[in-house]
Amino acid sequence: MRSNLRPALRLSTLRPHQFEMTPGVPFAVICPDCRVWRRINRSKIQPHFLSDETTYCPASAQRVEQDVTPEQWALAITEGVADTASSRPTTVLKKVKAPAPKAVLHIAQRRSDDPVGSDKRCAKRRIGEWEAARVDVLVTDALRQHPLYGARGPIFSLPLPDGVATEPPRKHRKRKGRLAA
């Protein structure tokens, strides 16, 4: 079996969890290119394909230099496990849940500090607002019903039937900040 032209992969340059030296288990290493566990045969990474299964991995048949003894590897693994166990928290910190919002029916209920007549005042105010905006609504509806056959360029206002005002009252236009139609 030929080896690739790369320099030998030294086990001392890898972390202990990146290769396996347990007695009775096939000697294996994580491939440096495709990051998959591969067996070591005759001091070389076993030839293998990439994930597309048509091209060989560039690290196939790379030589492996075993410069770590199984005892050194086992010691490094046990030290790593001890370090990892001490760095992790022992208790689970649960996330504080946000309070649930009020139901819509509770939001819409009248507050106890509202006077009883406020509903009537609100209704009168809304009727006044509708009366002020009624002219704008009628003009807009009339303009929407008129067809725009062959319209090109800017669209100018259309003549309306007699008796229909084309602009809202001045007082209403200033208060709401609207422009004339």
Side-chain angles (χ1 to χ4, degrees):
M1 176 171 58
R2 294 182 182 173
S3 65
N4 64 11
L5 301 176
R6 292 182 174 186
L9 178 66
R10 301 181 70 199
L11 293 181
S12 61
T13 61
L14 300 176
R15 295 186 177 188
H17 67 276
Q18 293 178 325
F19 58 96
E20 179 68 42
M21 296 183 81
T22 306
V25 176
F27 185 45
V29 67
I30 292 180
C31 176
D33 288 350
C34 62
R35 311 300 297 168
V36 177
W37 282 96
R38 299 294 172 190
R39 284 188 179 181
I40 304 297
N41 291 336
R42 298 185 202 146
S43 297
K44 295 178 186 169
I45 297 176
Q46 187 174 14
H48 58 279
F49 291 104
L50 291 174
S51 60
D52 63 358
E53 297 186 13
T54 58
T55 57
Y56 275 103
C57 177
S60 286
Q62 183 173 358
R63 288 179 291 128
V64 176
E65 189 177 313
Q66 187 176 348
D67 57 348
V68 177
T69 65
E71 292 79 22
Q72 291 172 335
W73 175 79
L75 181 63
I77 288 290
T78 55
E79 287 175 357
V81 169
D83 289 344
T84 305
S86 66
S87 67
R88 292 187 179 150
T90 55
T91 59
V92 177
L93 301 174
K94 296 196 176 189
K95 199 173 188 181
V96 178
K97 290 185 179 180
K102 287 179 149 183
V104 175
L105 67 107
H106 295 298
I107 294 172
Q109 286 181 351
R110 181 187 0 221
R111 295 184 312 214
S112 60
D113 60 341
D114 276 351
V116 177
S118 66
D119 289 340
K120 291 179 183 177
R121 279 183 290 192
C122 182
K124 285 182 182 178
R125 182 176 50 87
R126 296 292 292 155
I127 290 171
E129 289 173 357
W130 169 246
E131 289 298 327
R134 189 171 192 207
V135 174
D136 291 341
V137 172
L138 290 173
V139 169
T140 304
D141 285 344
L143 292 174
R144 282 187 186 140
Q145 291 174 0
H146 192 277
L148 298 174
Y149 297 114
R152 291 185 187 158
I155 299 172
F156 299 103
S157 60
L158 300 173
L160 296 175
D162 292 336
V164 177
T166 57
E167 289 188 15
R170 273 236 180 272
K171 180 173 80 173
H172 174 71
R173 194 171 67 220
K174 284 183 182 174
R175 182 173 44 123
K176 291 291 184 178
R178 294 188 195 191
L179 298 173

